[in-house]
Amino acid sequence: MSCLLIKKMASEDKEIFKGLELNQKSLIHLLHRIQAQYGYIPEEVVDDIAERLKITPSEIFGILTFYKAFALEPRGKHLVTICLGTACHVRGGRQIAEEAERRLGIKAGETTADRQFTLETVNCLGCCAIGPVVVVDGVYHSHVSIDQIEKILKKATEKGDEKN
Amino acid sequence: MKIKINEQEIQFSGSKTILEVAREKGIYIPSLCDHPLLKPFGGCRLCLVEIKGVKGYVPACSREAEDGLEVITNSPVLEEMRRQTLELLLSEHPNACLVCREKEKCEEHKITIRKVDEVTGCIFCPKNNHCELQKVVQYLGIEKIRFPSSYRGIEIIREDPFFDRNYNLCILCGRCVRICHEVRGASAISFVFRGSQTVIGTAYNKPLLDCGCQFCGACVDVCPVGALTERALRGELEAEKEVTTVCPYCSQACLLKIKVREERILGAEPANLESLGGMCVRGRFLIRDLVDNPYRLFKPYLRIDGELRETGWDEALDYAASKLASYSSDEIALILSPHLSLEDLYTLILLAQQGLKTNNITLSTANDSFLIIEKLSQENDFYLPLNYHPQDLAEARCIFILGGDLTVLQPGLWVEVLRAVNQGAKLITLDSVGRPYDRFSTINLKALPESWPAILARLIELAARKEGVFEKIIPPFFQDEGIKTLTRASEAFNPDGFEEKIEEAFSLLAHNKSVFLLGPGFWPFHRAEILSLLLNLVQLFEARLILFGQESNSRGASALLGRLKLWPLSPFDLNRQITSGKIKAVLCFGPWPFLGPEKPPFLLLVEPYRNHFSNSAEVLLPAATILERGGTFVASNGLIKRFGKAISRLNESRPDWWIGLQLGCRLNPDFPIFADEEDILRTMVPLFPELKNLITTDSLELKEVLTTALIEEKKGKKKLINLSFMENFFGIVRKGVWRLLIEFSIDHYRSLPLALVNRDFRRIRLPKRVKLHPEEATKLRVADGDAIKLKKGKQSLETRVKISSRVPPSVLLFSLGLAYFPEDPASLFIISSFSREEKGSLIQEVITIE
């Protein structure tokens, strides 16, 4: 999809602005909708919503980069999120993340070349009791150990294939 | 109210933070993120204090002082906490020199200079010895950093004009982000990323040029460390002295602190907090270019055998005087720049009246708004207060801006408008082009300038009906149908609900305390008509009028001419008389924007700079710039500011008044003699009684800026101006698809266009580009920077494109200053694109693009 097309869609897509006041307060809500629709926040859209919400692109960029929920680049088909919060960290979250990086051949925050997986780390998911936690496409895996990673990743691809 | 700080009882009043109360009393609490212009932030955690009865530790910068609080600022626990916080900060900041034991000896003997490299030491940091971090480290006596250091290794950003950004030195105090957002309303930068990755940055790391930065330098001025530094100061030694003076560029007249070393200007900084928020790129970064540039004239020149030759002052003046004496008084004209000081203007008017016996005087600003108001109020016998105080804007509940980009032309005023808007004032803008402050405005009236009179007239009609003075000022030809017909007839209205927008604007203006702000606008601009309309509006709404975007002493020049009842020739009249041969000799003390192809037989040029006229001048006399001599300006708010020189005169240049005096004495033996500027001011007192307070010492020895207010003689006498002139008003008739729109800029000092002498400034203003709407650019298949050729009949102009969504479709937007007009092929093209029709309206010729 070309960038121009995306921009057009965002600005003409009435649905995306539905029920929102056109001011600063709506920013995060709007970004969530755009993230859900496009899988990331395209640069052109930022200029567009800046003008509509009467704020500057730099201010929006500050918000975008603050929250892990927003991606600056298109994410892969499957999103793997590994928790590195304190509780998960002390139970080996770091090693799990490294294992996932090795298996997928990418660093945290990157997307595989075949656009299948995006690997991300977060600082806490709020479910410390079941750590270390790995979330794949919204499914929480608890008490994960290094040797389970391969299976978890495989399952994700199979699930995706079934849907197709 | 009382609080106790460290057992010391302190009285205070009003709403203040603990930190402010402590500072006023001289009690030092270390702090790195707090700044008097900014809201409390609580970011650096160094100002933590203990309050009796309050659990934990409280940042003094964001805790309001309440009656009866007992505060401890320096307990051992606090000191240890601060030390630890600072050590954490320093672990990410180059610190080798900061904690070095040989620091003191190093200052003198440079024993360790080679032991630390540029990256980890202070010695090469531009902020060395002015750094707030250094001060705090010294206060807390840090000798060792217990945490491992990590250098961020971020590349220094040098791509933007005027300043470098080295975020390896940044301590993330957020002052730059906050001043950009809170004070300037630009929000060009923000905190990006999170946690240990946080940096200050722009959207997608774009250069500041593309992020709405105004290059006011406020971020550089508030940066406590060396992260943001002015590039021109790199490699310069410390200043020997700092002189406070008045900015010579616009009528905001900010106070500047000029850094001087060996009689050379290094740079300028805002001299006080008020100027800090409100500076513009010209005053902050272009002061040095005014004095030091390759166009400066240092010696008098005479044309001998068709060639300009260097000569002495006596010879040049004698020759000029003898030549001038050979013309009759009607054949001579004087052109004055509103950048001249009151002393200069007064002496030069005396030269015209007593030396040359002529009243052919004109101001190089074609149609100065201040002067038009002087004239209108004298003719119609009413008085309008133009002086204003910051509180006039602060108390306004509705602010109406028209006629130019306030953030570019006079940001000092914009800062005050923004403050009012943040306190709930409503902003209405009437403009042809998108402005950065559109996002703050409640009502945005977008229309081409030819429709403005109709829009203002419609507002008057609504107000006049309400006040019951409709018949009195609305001429009969509008009374039947009303001005609606006129607004409907004028083109370029927003089709949807524009009429409603005007009515909404009316109800805001009618029900609130309002202020109108008028800028220099667009050329050709119906300034006299617009001012007449505005004067009615101002009186009907009991509002105030503030003029912005004028040259530094525009108000002073107009007041002087107004008090002498001297109404200058219009530049068009002058041109006509030169072409017809009626005027044969011209003395030019400023730029001369509207000169036609005909040059007068005798041209005497008095300017600090060589310009395009130098080649046709008979005599060229080098004037000193205002920074080399001091003077008196009247700011747009009515404050008269008298200031001294920043550096000594360069070479053989002389003040304009001295040149006028020398010529006057040679032409008329009875010409009054002035020993110095002091003397001139004393002579001016009968005309300008306000100046009495400013006469204390010779301006050469003046160390500070003296200020007094311009007296407002009478109190508001209401008189509405009849709108009968509107009958003949048809605006501009455009032929063809394109409408040329020419925005006035004041990016010049006398005849020097600032973009000519500063590359960085050129990058910001792009003076020679034509701006186009993105859709038009797509249609024409041109990108930013592409060359296009504008054609009109047989004439053509090659120029480059700047795509901007601020420009309305089917408009070609140029920005031109007075100093640009003749030398730039664009200006000749532009001026000749308009022809005057009967009934006063203009016709714009067909323009095509290749």
Side-chain angles (χ1 to χ4, degrees):
Chain A
M1 204 186 299
S2 82
C3 294
L4 253 173
L5 198 66
I6 289 181
K7 189 183 172 182
K8 263 221 155 104
M9 279 177 66
S11 51
E12 281 165 17
D13 193 346
K14 295 254 163 70
E15 279 295 300
I16 256 179
F17 294 100
K18 202 175 168 186
L20 291 181
E21 274 176 64
L22 286 182
N23 60 30
Q24 208 173 331
K25 286 178 209 154
S26 314
L27 178 62
I28 296 207
H29 206 114
L30 187 57
L31 289 176
H32 274 302
R33 287 187 186 177
I34 294 167
Q35 173 73 38
Q37 188 145 342
Y38 301 112
Y40 76 114
I41 314 285
E43 187 176 336
E44 293 75 13
V45 174
V46 169
D47 289 343
D48 190 52
I49 53 178
E51 211 181 309
R52 282 159 184 274
L53 302 189
K54 301 185 172 182
I55 47 180
T56 67
S58 293
E59 286 175 310
I60 298 184
F61 192 69
I63 303 287
L64 273 186
T65 52
F66 185 85
Y67 294 107
K68 289 262 171 162
F70 307 124
L72 295 178
E73 282 180 12
R75 279 179 173 158
K77 201 165 159 194
H78 307 288
L79 177 64
V80 181
T81 312
I82 298 173
C83 182
L84 292 182
T86 316
C88 293
H89 194 98
V90 297
R91 293 181 204 159
R94 182 76 259 168
Q95 284 75 13
I96 290 167
E98 277 164 14
E99 172 68 11
E101 283 180 351
R102 201 180 59 78
R103 292 247 167 231
L104 295 172
I106 49 171
K107 291 257 174 267
E110 291 175 351
T111 302
T112 51
D114 58 4
R115 296 235 168 247
Q116 285 295 310
F117 285 98
T118 294
L119 181 65
E120 273 177 6
T121 59
V122 290
N123 293 331
C124 188
L125 288 165
C127 48
C128 309
I130 58 167
V133 180
V134 174
V135 186
V136 181
D137 297 333
V139 180
Y140 281 65
H141 299 266
S142 59
H143 305 296
V144 179
S145 61
I146 292 177
D147 44 1
Q148 285 173 300
I149 288 293
E150 192 186 353
K151 219 169 81 191
I152 290 173
L153 292 178
K154 213 172 161 190
K155 214 167 142 191
T157 19
E158 280 164 9
K159 241 190 188 168
D161 292 342
E162 267 170 41
K163 267 186 203 164
N164 292 341
Chain B
M1 288 189 283
K2 261 188 257 173
I3 64 168
K4 250 188 193 173
I5 298 183
N6 303 339
E7 301 295 308
Q8 186 186 350
E9 212 158 80
I10 297 170
Q11 297 273 355
F12 72 98
S13 57
S15 157
K16 282 185 187 131
T17 64
I18 296 177
L19 186 63
E20 282 168 335
V21 174
R23 269 193 193 144
E24 273 170 24
K25 205 67 198 168
I27 300 168
Y28 180 71
I29 303 175
S31 161
L32 285 169
C33 69
D34 185 73
H35 193 278
L37 280 179
L38 303 172
K39 288 183 200 147
F41 185 59
C44 72
R45 316 310 287 175
L46 287 175
C47 67
L48 291 184
V49 292
E50 291 171 21
I51 300 175
K52 204 173 170 189
V54 175
K55 208 178 142 191
Y57 305 92
V58 184
C61 68
S62 37
R63 176 66 184 248
E64 204 172 315
E66 290 159 35
D67 196 29
L69 283 188
E70 286 181 39
V71 181
I72 304 285
T73 70
N74 55 4
S75 70
V77 184
L78 285 174
E79 298 278 282
E80 178 49 30
M81 274 198 321
R82 284 178 191 150
R83 227 170 274 136
Q84 195 155 343
T85 311
L86 193 58
E87 282 175 41
L88 276 168
L89 256 177
L90 289 175
S91 69
E92 285 207 320
H93 184 96
N95 55 35
C97 292
L98 281 171
V99 295
C100 179
R101 268 185 219 161
E102 292 171 76
K103 192 158 54 176
E104 266 134 60
K105 283 188 228 157
C106 192
E107 284 297 307
E108 207 178 327
H109 308 297
K110 306 273 181 272
I111 38 172
T112 47
I113 191 165
R114 282 178 199 86
K115 289 185 192 165
V116 295
D117 53 18
E118 186 173 344
V119 171
T120 60
C122 293
I123 224 95
F124 296 106
C125 175
K127 213 47 183 268
N128 192 17
N129 296 330
H130 306 285
C131 174
E132 290 181 37
L133 197 58
Q134 282 178 330
K135 273 181 219 156
V136 179
V137 168
Q138 195 169 8
Y139 171 80
L140 290 174
I142 305 241
E143 282 171 350
K144 196 171 171 264
I145 291 163
R146 286 166 280 180
F147 308 102
S149 341
S150 69
Y151 183 69
R152 291 195 197 113
I154 304 169
E155 206 172 317
I156 303 172
I157 306 170
R158 301 184 202 273
E159 61 189 355
D160 277 307
F162 297 117
F163 52 88
D164 291 335
R165 295 182 282 153
N166 181 356
Y167 290 124
N168 297 304
L169 305 180
C170 176
I171 56 166
L172 294 170
C173 66
R175 281 189 197 171
C176 54
V177 175
R178 289 180 289 144
I179 200 154
C180 196
H181 174 77
E182 289 173 22
V183 177
R184 302 289 302 198
S187 299
I189 44 174
S190 63
F191 288 100
V192 296
F193 297 103
R194 179 180 181 172
S196 59
Q197 270 100 50
T198 312
V199 283
I200 309 292
T202 56
Y204 295 93
N205 277 330
K206 282 188 232 168
L208 286 171
L209 266 175
D210 301 334
C211 290
C213 175
Q214 301 164 0
F215 295 94
C216 63
C219 53
V220 179
D221 291 324
V222 293
C223 183
V225 294
L228 302 174
T229 48
E230 188 179 342
R231 204 172 298 134
L233 291 182
R234 278 216 154 224
E236 292 282 7
L237 293 168
E238 289 279 303
E240 280 165 351
K241 59 172 182 179
E242 287 177 341
V243 192
T244 305
T245 185
V246 173
C247 178
Y249 290 127
C250 88
S251 59
Q252 175 76 10
C254 295
L255 294 193
L256 298 180
K257 197 167 70 186
I258 295 189
K259 293 190 237 175
V260 180
R261 187 183 172 92
E262 289 168 358
E263 290 305 304
R264 200 167 66 84
I265 293 178
L266 303 179
E269 273 175 16
N272 53 20
L273 275 180
E274 192 193 331
S275 308
L276 200 165
M279 289 271 275
C280 70
V281 54
R282 295 175 292 247
R284 180 66 182 76
F285 295 112
L286 293 171
I287 290 296
R288 184 159 137 176
D289 295 295
L290 180 121
V291 175
D292 291 325
N293 66 59
Y295 297 90
R296 270 308 289 270
L297 274 174
F298 292 123
K299 290 213 156 64
Y301 287 84
L302 274 186
R303 189 169 295 279
I304 303 168
D305 304 328
E307 237 177 272
L308 281 176
R309 299 240 172 96
E310 227 174 86
T311 172
W313 270 106
D314 282 334
E315 208 179 322
L317 289 166
D318 287 342
Y319 175 77
S322 68
K323 206 67 196 210
L324 285 171
S326 71
Y327 294 103
S328 76
S329 54
D330 299 344
E331 294 172 334
I332 305 176
L334 239 84
I335 294 167
L336 303 178
S337 157
H339 278 128
L340 292 167
S341 72
L342 277 183
E343 297 89 332
D344 293 332
L345 289 166
Y346 184 72
T347 320
L348 296 177
I349 291 171
L350 281 187
L351 168 68
Q353 294 187 320
Q354 296 187 20
L356 303 164
K357 309 261 187 307
T358 179
N359 270 341
N360 289 339
I361 297 174
T362 187
L363 278 183
S364 53
T365 37
N367 233 337
D368 195 279
S369 302
F370 281 116
L371 201 62
I372 296 173
I373 291 191
E374 282 277 348
K375 203 174 171 192
L376 279 172
S377 49
Q378 287 197 18
E379 278 169 2
N380 293 288
D381 188 34
F382 69 90
Y383 178 70
L384 182 83
L386 284 174
N387 291 3
Y388 63 91
H389 301 283
Q391 71 256 30
D392 290 325
L393 272 165
E395 286 165 9
R397 306 277 27 106
C398 181
I399 298 171
F400 191 115
I401 307 180
L402 72 161
D405 190 338
L406 187 58
T407 60
V408 167
L409 292 162
Q410 199 168 329
L413 198 56
W414 159 244
V415 168
E416 283 168 32
V417 170
L418 179 65
R419 206 176 297 143
V421 169
N422 285 338
Q423 283 164 9
K426 301 276 187 257
L427 190 64
I428 305 174
T429 58
L430 170 56
D431 219 311
S432 313
V433 182
R435 301 296 182 197
Y437 42 82
D438 283 350
R439 62 191 184 102
F440 295 100
S441 59
T442 313
I443 299 171
N444 243 321
L445 300 168
K446 286 270 175 285
L448 287 175
E450 45 267 38
S451 330
W452 294 8
I455 294 169
L456 295 176
R458 173 81 181 127
L459 283 172
I460 292 176
E461 189 193 3
L462 290 168
R465 278 187 203 281
K466 197 178 163 233
E467 294 271 311
V469 289
F470 183 69
E471 269 81 35
K472 203 168 142 200
I473 55 164
I474 307 290
F477 52 88
F478 284 142
Q479 282 181 11
D480 301 336
E481 276 215 64
I483 293 165
K484 250 186 199 173
T485 46
L486 191 69
T487 52
R488 245 178 255 133
S490 58
E491 57 175 326
F493 276 90
N494 290 18
D496 300 331
F498 200 80
E499 183 60 35
E500 286 74 44
K501 271 191 179 177
I502 298 179
E503 276 162 27
E504 215 180 307
F506 164 73
S507 77
L508 274 180
L509 289 164
H511 298 109
N512 290 294
K513 201 170 172 188
S514 312
V515 177
F516 286 83
L517 269 67
L518 175 70
F522 296 87
W523 190 89
F525 191 53
H526 307 277
R527 209 177 290 184
E529 286 84 355
I530 290 204
L531 273 167
S532 309
L533 292 163
L534 269 183
L535 291 178
N536 277 343
L537 275 179
V538 164
Q539 295 183 65
L540 284 166
F541 290 124
E542 282 169 21
R544 294 193 70 94
L545 177 65
I546 295 175
L547 302 178
F548 68 89
Q550 307 279 330
E551 281 83 353
S552 48
N553 197 25
S554 184
R555 175 120 196 234
S558 307
L560 185 60
L561 292 168
R563 286 181 192 192
L564 289 167
K565 298 209 179 353
L566 262 178
W567 307 120
L569 284 174
S570 93
F572 300 104
D573 282 343
L574 182 66
N575 268 353
R576 221 167 292 138
Q577 294 192 31
I578 291 172
T579 318
S580 69
K582 202 173 157 229
I583 284 179
K584 296 198 174 80
V586 174
L587 286 79
C588 213
F589 293 82
W592 190 7
F594 305 103
L595 182 76
E598 293 291 321
K599 304 267 188 321
F602 181 76
L603 180 62
L604 170 78
L605 218 58
V606 184
E607 267 288 314
Y609 316 101
R610 260 183 299 120
N611 57 30
H612 47 278
F613 287 133
S614 309
N615 293 332
S616 21
E618 281 284 289
V619 185
L620 222 58
L621 303 176
T625 66
I626 196 79
L627 293 170
E628 295 156 55
R629 35 160 299 206
T632 309
F633 284 159
V634 185
S636 61
N637 60 2
L639 283 181
I640 308 179
K641 299 184 182 181
R642 183 163 180 236
F643 51 94
K645 59 166 189 163
I647 51 167
S648 348
R649 278 205 307 269
L650 291 188
N651 231 311
E652 285 189 35
S653 59
R654 292 283 183 276
D656 295 87
W657 66 264
W658 183 88
I659 299 170
L661 179 74
Q662 294 299 319
L663 284 173
C665 293
R666 280 169 169 81
L667 287 162
N668 179 357
D670 300 329
F671 197 79
I673 298 207
F674 305 117
D676 49 33
E677 280 155 6
E678 181 85 8
D679 230 9
I680 306 175
L681 289 182
R682 222 172 275 128
T683 325
M684 285 176 77
V685 167
L687 195 64
F688 262 93
E690 302 93 327
L691 292 173
K692 215 184 294 171
N693 306 331
L694 300 181
I695 304 171
T696 49
T697 173
D698 183 27
S699 79
L700 291 176
E701 273 131 47
L702 205 61
K703 289 279 182 290
E704 55 187 327
V705 178
L706 306 172
T707 311
T708 185
L710 198 67
I711 290 170
E712 299 191 20
E713 303 93 330
K714 298 172 244 167
K715 259 278 167 262
K717 188 170 158 192
K718 239 187 182 182
K719 187 161 183 194
L720 297 171
I721 304 167
N722 192 294
L723 298 188
S724 50
F725 64 85
M726 291 287 286
E727 191 172 10
N728 294 333
F729 186 79
F730 290 100
I732 291 170
V733 182
R734 163 177 70 180
K735 290 182 178 169
V737 184
W738 297 99
R739 166 79 169 89
L740 262 189
L741 199 57
I742 302 110
E743 191 173 15
F744 262 115
S745 83
I746 49 164
D747 297 333
H748 61 101
Y749 173 74
R750 298 185 67 165
S751 68
L752 181 79
L754 294 175
L756 187 70
V757 290
N758 192 301
R759 214 183 103 235
D760 280 351
F761 192 61
R762 266 203 302 280
R763 288 178 64 204
I764 298 174
R765 293 289 203 260
L766 300 170
K768 296 197 173 172
R769 298 261 187 114
V770 56
K771 298 192 181 85
L772 270 185
H773 189 266
E775 277 173 27
E776 301 286 0
T778 324
K779 264 190 239 160
L780 292 167
R781 293 192 191 157
V782 288
D784 245 359
D786 281 356
I788 58 166
K789 198 175 189 182
L790 307 183
K791 270 186 104 173
K792 178 205 70 189
K794 279 178 188 157
Q795 263 184 311
S796 69
L797 171 73
E798 279 183 42
T799 180
R800 288 186 183 279
V801 177
K802 168 76 190 162
I803 300 171
S804 163
S805 51
R806 296 217 162 121
V807 184
S810 82
V811 160
L812 301 167
L813 178 71
F814 276 99
S815 154
L816 283 180
L818 290 182
Y820 271 116
F821 267 83
E823 82 175 357
D824 193 345
S827 41
L828 284 177
F829 181 84
I830 285 162
I831 294 171
S832 64
S833 300
F834 293 93
S835 55
R836 202 166 275 279
E837 206 196 30
E838 281 172 60
K839 286 185 171 181
S841 62
L842 283 170
I843 295 185
Q844 190 208 298
E845 308 291 331
V846 181
I847 290 175
T848 49
I849 294 184
E850 282 180 9

